[in-house]
Amino acid sequence: MTETKMRVFLPVLIVLVATTLCVQGDNATEIAENKVEIKFYRLQVSEWDSGLMESKFHALLASETNTYCASNLAACGLIGLQSEFKDSHIGKVDNSPLNDDKDMLYEFYIMYPENSNKSSPSVLTYVLSESVVKTIILQLRTNTDYISSLGCDKCYITYIGSDFYGIPPSALENKIIIPLAFLVLLIVIIIAISLTLWDKRREKEARFQKMHKPKPKGSQYPTKPAPPKTTELPDEKV
Ligand SMILES: *[C@@H]1O[C@H](CO)[C@@H](O)[C@H](O)[C@H]1NC(C)=O
Ligand SMILES: *[C@@H]1O[C@H](CO)[C@@H](O)[C@H](O)[C@H]1NC(C)=O
């Protein structure tokens, strides 16, 4: 009796413990599963270091995290922002940053501030989830002039994870390309309208000439016999 109880109880216990461990995870596991890699266009580790860009970037990220989480508490898994995210809550993965040809890869995660109260027990314990971090970096990319804040030249964030976001055209290119596109469009429209008008006018002229010609065609009639017309016309008139 006790042996059968043990046989049932022990596997159940093992499964329970394993599940709890898997769900809760630990700090290192959560970091490994929620770190995000981004790519800076045309940036090298040497410039990143000499420009002291890491502390600037962490400060930008912390600020953007507060902005995002303040208006998206549930997404961040928080009840309130009792303690704010600071640059010390941005962690980078050990072998980060790395040069990737002419670009630079940077892998990081965002830790919850100490004493932050989570909205539900299913929320991660130590770090913000990967999807939230990706959203925050996308917001940073869209809403801030991080390029000049970092003090680099064209270090656009082109990749967030495996998603490519492209290289935005510079302000100068926008100033030239947008009016140019409008000009080309305008020219195309003018040409289209002129062609239509010209065509209509030609049609009108042709019709006018046809109507007002004093029928010299009668003399040409015998030389150009049109068999279907000659047979049809008399039939209709009868
Ligand atoms: C989690 O791990 C990171 C990196 O090793 C460390 O900086 C951080 O303090 C740890 N957090 C906790 C709550 O242990
Ligand atoms: C959140 O944390 C603060 C202090 O850290 C505490 O006073 C407050 O009661 C907590 N709120 C909830 C809903 O747990």
Side-chain angles (χ1 to χ4, degrees), residues 58-70 72-73 75-78 80-91 109-114 116-118 125-129 132-133 136:
H58 286 194
L60 282 174
L61 257 179
S63 158
E64 194 65 39
T65 306
N66 285 319
T67 309
Y68 178 76
C69 286
N72 298 276
L73 283 171
C76 292
L78 293 167
L81 264 186
Q82 283 85 6
S83 21
E84 294 215 312
F85 289 88
K86 300 196 186 75
D87 43 7
S88 58
H89 295 116
I90 315 296
Y109 49 91
I110 304 177
M111 289 176 271
Y112 276 116
E114 310 68 30
S116 54
N117 23 28
K118 318 279 163 49
T125 312
Y126 303 98
V127 297
L128 283 176
S129 74
V132 171
V133 175
I136 291 169

